[in-house]
Amino acid sequence: MKPPAESKDAPIRTDLRRIVLDRIIRGELAPGVRIKESRLAEELGASRTPLREALIHLEQEGFVRSELAHGFTVEPLSGREVREIYPILWTLEALALRSSGGAVYSLIEALAGINSSLAVAAEAEDRLRLDAEWHEKLLSHCPNRRLNSIISGLRTSIRRYEQFYMSDSALVLESVQQHRQIIDALQTKQGERAEHLLIVNWRVSMELLLVRLGEP
């Protein structure tokens, strides 16, 4: 007997991955929680086969894990993952900034505006969006498409850690201040200093995040 066909409004496979990932990042599917596939498929209006394919994709990306006879579970937040990913990200972002050359100086006003919005944002979700927007704007003149793609993938990998970080208003203000220092360096055309401060921004974020995770 064939399974019932999905309606034309049912999420397609690529959308399912995005929707489930969004729930993981928002904490609706919390770290360590077992994913009930039948219930989730019903909520999303999808069959279990494409949902399972989406979960397998997310497992390959490190967001969920599968165990024989136990299905899928959301990966717990891990200090080890933070220590592995953040140094790679700050190294590549610094390289992207260096590759941008003098074009980055035209972004100062836009960067200051985004940072001002970040300083007053009240919701963690808005803070996360604005912080990501600030970093994307900073590197928007990097001509290396492959480098940009790798950085984008790494940012996706840490989004739920950044969501956790951005839920603390004191940590957000720390990031805002570090962004201001980078902008100040750009205003005086100190490219190497801006690059160094960008590394500091990610390094401090990593250290503060590890403290929040109880793994200093």
Side-chain angles (χ1 to χ4, degrees):
M1 181 178 180
K2 293 183 179 180
E6 294 181 40
S7 73
K8 64 180 180 179
D9 296 322
I12 61 176
R13 285 167 171 76
T14 52
D15 284 341
L16 279 173
R17 176 201 161 275
R18 178 183 54 78
I19 292 167
V20 176
L21 176 58
D22 188 59
R23 289 196 175 197
I24 291 172
I25 290 169
R26 289 171 181 268
E28 295 173 16
L29 292 171
V33 167
R34 182 170 172 265
I35 297 172
K36 298 178 180 178
E37 293 178 51
S38 57
R39 179 183 298 178
L40 184 58
E42 184 177 354
E43 289 177 6
L44 299 179
S47 69
R48 291 185 64 176
T49 298
L51 175 59
R52 178 168 285 270
E53 290 176 0
L55 291 170
I56 290 171
H57 196 158
L58 289 170
E59 181 180 23
Q60 293 169 347
E61 295 178 302
F63 291 102
V64 302
R65 67 173 66 170
S66 63
E67 298 177 8
L68 189 63
H70 292 287
F72 292 90
T73 302
V74 179
E75 277 284 2
L77 296 176
S78 161
R80 176 180 178 179
E81 188 172 30
V82 169
R83 290 186 179 94
E84 288 179 349
I85 296 177
Y86 274 66
I88 300 172
L89 187 51
W90 76 52
T91 300
L92 295 183
E93 281 212 357
L95 175 59
L97 180 57
R98 190 185 320 143
S99 301
S100 302
V104 71
Y105 300 130
S106 67
L107 302 173
I108 291 171
E109 185 176 348
L111 290 168
I114 297 168
N115 202 43
S116 294
S117 297
L118 175 59
V120 298
E123 300 296 328
E125 185 175 339
D126 292 331
R127 295 165 177 172
L128 177 66
R129 175 181 54 80
L130 288 164
D131 184 72
E133 183 181 344
W134 190 90
H135 282 269
E136 288 166 4
K137 177 61 70 175
L138 178 67
L139 305 180
S140 60
H141 285 311
C142 173
N144 189 324
R145 290 179 296 176
R146 180 158 297 186
L147 176 58
N148 293 333
S149 177
I150 294 170
I151 290 172
S152 178
L154 288 171
R155 283 185 184 141
T156 298
S157 297
I158 64 165
R159 274 177 64 190
R160 61 191 187 133
Y161 291 99
E162 290 291 285
Q163 177 91 2
F164 185 57
Y165 182 97
M166 292 295 169
S167 65
D168 188 320
S169 57
L171 298 186
V172 174
L173 292 178
E174 178 71 29
S175 288
V176 167
Q177 180 57 34
Q178 291 163 7
H179 291 173
R180 284 176 181 154
Q181 292 173 353
I182 295 169
I183 293 169
D184 289 345
L186 294 175
Q187 285 178 325
T188 54
K189 291 186 167 50
Q190 298 182 72
E192 289 186 8
R193 176 166 172 75
E195 186 181 326
H196 167 72
L197 290 170
L198 179 59
I199 292 172
V200 170
N201 175 224
W202 281 112
R203 188 189 298 273
V204 171
S205 295
M206 180 189 74
E207 292 169 352
L208 293 173
L209 182 57
L210 288 170
V211 171
R212 284 213 73 198
L213 290 170
E215 298 188 33

